[in-house]
Amino acid sequence: MRHLAILGSTGSIGTSTLEVVRAHPERLSIVALAAGRNRDLLQSQCEAFHPRCVSVGSKEAADWLRSNLSYRPELHWGDEGLLACALHPEVNTVVAAIVGSAGLASTEAALRAGRRVCVANKESLVVGGVLMHEAALAGGGELLPVDSEHAALHQLLDGRDSTTIREVRITASGGPFRDWPLARIQTATIAEALNHPTWKMGPKITIDSATLMNKGLEVIEASVLFGLTADQVAVTVHPQSQVHAMVGFHDGSYQLQVCANDMKLPIQYCLLYPDKQPGPVAPYPWDEARAWTFEAPDLERFPCLGLAFRALREGGTAPALLNAANEVAVAAFLQGRLGFWDIQACNQEILDRIPATPLGSLAQVLDADRAARRHAEGWVQTRT
Ligand code: MG
C-alpha cells in the first residue's frame, strides 16, 4: 500500500494525482496534502480524502482551514509545512509537485528519509540533481520521474544494460509557435504564448513550452536522472505528443514509448511502479487512423533549448543559474513587464554574466539561485 503526501495538491499534477488515487483505493491512500494559495480547493480536497496532515502557504490560510474543515487534521503552513507533510511518519510516497525551486528542500528531505519520491518538480532535478541522487543513496529513497518524457524513458531503460545505449530522445510538441517565423515569435503576446496546442498545464510550464525552455530543462533532467552526457540526450519535435521518448541503441535501432498525452498515465506509473494496473486512462486507440510527424528543433527560433544544452555542458551551478533566470523572466513576461523574446535574452545574460561553480551542497545551489534571481530582476528593471 502506498501512503501518499502530495506537495502541490491543487495544481494540475496534484489534481491528476488525486484522480489516480480515486481509481486505486485498495493500493493508494492520502495521508498528507500541501498546497500554496488555493485554500478553497484544498478545503474540498481535504473533505473528500480526509488527510491526517495538511499544509498551506500562510498562517492565515491555515487558521482559515482550521475553522472551516469538518474534522481536525494536523495543520501546518509554509516551508516547514511542506517538510511536515513529506516526513510524516505514515507517508511512504511523496508526490513532489511544487513549481519552482520552492520544492527543492522537501524533495531532498523526503529522499533522505527513504521515501519513494515521484518528482514532478523538474527544477529540483535540474538545479540539484546530483544532490537528489546523493540524498536518495544516503537515505534509501527512490526517485521516480513524473514528467511524461522521463517516465517514458524510465520504462524504456528499466532493467537495460546501459552499455547498449547510444542516445535517448525526448519529444517536444513544439509549442504554439512551432511553425511561426522568427519575427512573429519575437513579438508574441501573453495570450498567444499561453495557447498550448496539446497539453493543458499551469502558466509557467506553458510559457516554457512556447520558448522550448521546458524541453531544455527536460534535457538536463534526463541527463541527471539516467547518468547521460549532453551528447547522449537529444530532442525531436513531434507535434502530436503521442510518442514521449525513444531510446537509440548502438546498432542504430530505436524503441519508442507511446501513450495518450494524459499526465495521469506517468503519475500512475510512478505511484504503482513496478506494477501495471488498469487505471483512469483508456488503452491507446490504435484502430483510429492517425499520422505522426517528426522534425528537428530549430535553435535559431528557440534559443532557450540551446542555452539548456550549454548549461548542461558547463555543469555545476549553471543549470541552477539558467533555471532561476528563466523563472524571473517568465514571471516578468506574464506580468507584462517583458516581451516574449526578452525571456531568452535574460537567460543568456545570466549565463554570460555569472560564472558557474562546481556543485557541493544544497545551500550552494540556493545561493546560485538567489544570485541569478537578483541579477535577472535587475536586468528586467533595466528593460521596463
Ligand atoms: Mg514533460
Side-chain angles (χ1 to χ4, degrees), residues 122 147-150 205 214-215 218:
K122 70 187 69 176
D147 213 345
S148 58
E149 299 79 359
H150 305 79
I205 188 172
N214 180 56
K215 210 47 59 180
E218 289 182 354

Side-chain angles (χ1 to χ4, degrees), residues 11-43:
S12 101
I13 295 291
T15 51
S16 295
T17 302
L18 289 172
E19 280 185 63
V20 173
V21 170
R22 234 179 233 118
H24 299 282
E26 70 300 339
R27 288 164 194 275
L28 303 172
S29 80
I30 298 292
V31 175
L33 292 180
R37 277 185 291 271
N38 196 344
R39 64 179 195 187
D40 293 325
L41 180 53
L42 180 60
Q43 183 202 15

Side-chain angles (χ1 to χ4, degrees), residues 34-74:
R37 277 185 291 271
N38 196 344
R39 64 179 195 187
D40 293 325
L41 180 53
L42 180 60
Q43 183 202 15
S44 64
Q45 291 176 341
C46 288
E47 295 300 347
F49 291 92
H50 282 88
R52 288 183 280 297
C53 183
V54 178
S55 177
V56 69
S58 68
K59 182 170 186 310
E60 295 68 46
D63 290 340
W64 181 86
L65 278 173
R66 188 169 289 115
S67 46
N68 282 278
L69 283 174
S70 68
Y71 73 108
R72 298 203 138 257
E74 263 179 60

